[in-house]
Amino acid sequence: MSEINSVITFKLSDKKKRGLLLATIFSAIFGAGAIWLSRILSIGSGRFILLLSGIFLIFITGFCMYAYYLLAKENFAAVYVSDEGVIDISTGNHIGTVLWKDVENIKIMDDLSNLKHKYIVIKVRNPKEYIDREPNHSKKRTLELKLQYYGSPICFLTGHWTVPLKSLKMPSFQGLIPTGKIIRLPPK
């Protein structure tokens, strides 16, 4: 976490960076291997399926490389918190800055699919507006599901940050949140 001119940056953990890099490498190796193996098989013995699998894995490799490039360009920052609001760049959703004037509540919730992980959920007055900012239809659907399950489309998975969740009690972070907003930390 670094603080410059009342902007706090939460960075991605080394584990998350390594995971993305390993996914890139393994998908490239297995994709190239599947394509090579499909060349030596006779027709009708799974050759086409192996070729499609290889092409799919090469596509995944390209996606992972692009994601890694975008994160490296931002110096592996996950979330920026400023006097204006919060910007999340780690999830890949393009909702822009979540303005403090739109924030009703901030709470910590369990991830419904893995209770070991925690989400920071920022409840906004106008969730539909933030969902409509996302141009991709499938990502928009994901934001709608987050709204249904967590009460807001704006959720940050904190397990991938370099700063532990308990550090959010820091005065510098609290000072950026306008008065009247509540951060409810989970019971111990």
Side-chain angles (χ1 to χ4, degrees):
M1 182 177 73
S2 59
E3 185 173 352
I4 302 171
N5 297 332
S6 72
V7 174
I8 297 175
T9 304
F10 293 95
K11 301 232 181 216
L12 288 176
S13 68
D14 290 338
K15 183 179 177 182
K16 178 73 172 178
K17 290 187 265 186
R18 275 192 310 271
L20 183 57
L21 193 57
L22 287 173
T24 304
I25 292 168
F26 284 125
S27 63
I29 290 170
F30 288 124
I35 291 171
W36 177 79
L37 188 60
S38 72
R39 291 183 46 207
I40 63 174
L41 289 176
S42 62
I43 295 178
S45 60
R47 182 179 184 180
F48 184 70
I49 291 174
L50 203 54
L51 181 64
L52 282 179
S53 299
I55 291 169
F56 177 74
L57 286 170
I58 294 298
F59 174 76
I60 295 295
T61 300
F63 175 77
C64 289
M65 289 171 62
Y66 181 68
Y68 198 84
Y69 164 75
L70 290 178
L71 289 172
K73 192 169 85 170
E74 289 288 336
N75 200 17
F76 296 100
V79 175
Y80 296 108
V81 181
S82 70
D83 294 331
E84 185 182 349
V86 180
I87 302 172
D88 172 35
I89 56 175
S90 67
T91 59
N93 294 324
H94 303 345
I95 56 173
T97 303
V98 178
L99 301 173
W100 289 125
K101 66 179 181 146
D102 294 336
V103 175
E104 290 181 345
N105 189 10
I106 301 172
K107 56 187 172 181
I108 311 295
M109 295 181 69
D110 289 328
D111 182 357
L112 295 175
S113 62
N114 186 346
L115 296 177
K116 293 179 184 176
H117 294 145
K118 301 283 186 195
Y119 270 114
I120 294 179
V121 179
I122 300 179
K123 188 168 183 188
V124 291
R125 284 186 255 290
N126 45 357
K128 185 75 173 133
E129 177 185 319
Y130 285 97
I131 292 171
D132 289 339
R133 291 182 186 180
E134 175 58 62
N136 184 304
H137 179 71
S138 61
K139 288 183 181 180
K140 191 178 284 195
R141 180 66 183 138
T142 302
L143 293 174
E144 290 169 350
L145 287 172
K146 284 183 179 179
L147 175 62
Q148 182 180 356
Y149 291 123
Y150 298 107
S152 175
I154 304 153
C155 304
F156 309 126
L157 186 61
T158 61
H160 302 303
W161 295 358
T162 55
V163 177
L165 187 61
K166 59 185 160 212
S167 296
L168 296 180
K169 295 179 182 179
M170 292 175 44
S172 57
F173 184 84
Q174 296 282 0
L176 290 175
I177 300 171
T179 56
K181 308 301 182 222
I182 301 166
I183 295 182
R184 280 189 260 145
L185 293 171
K188 293 181 180 179

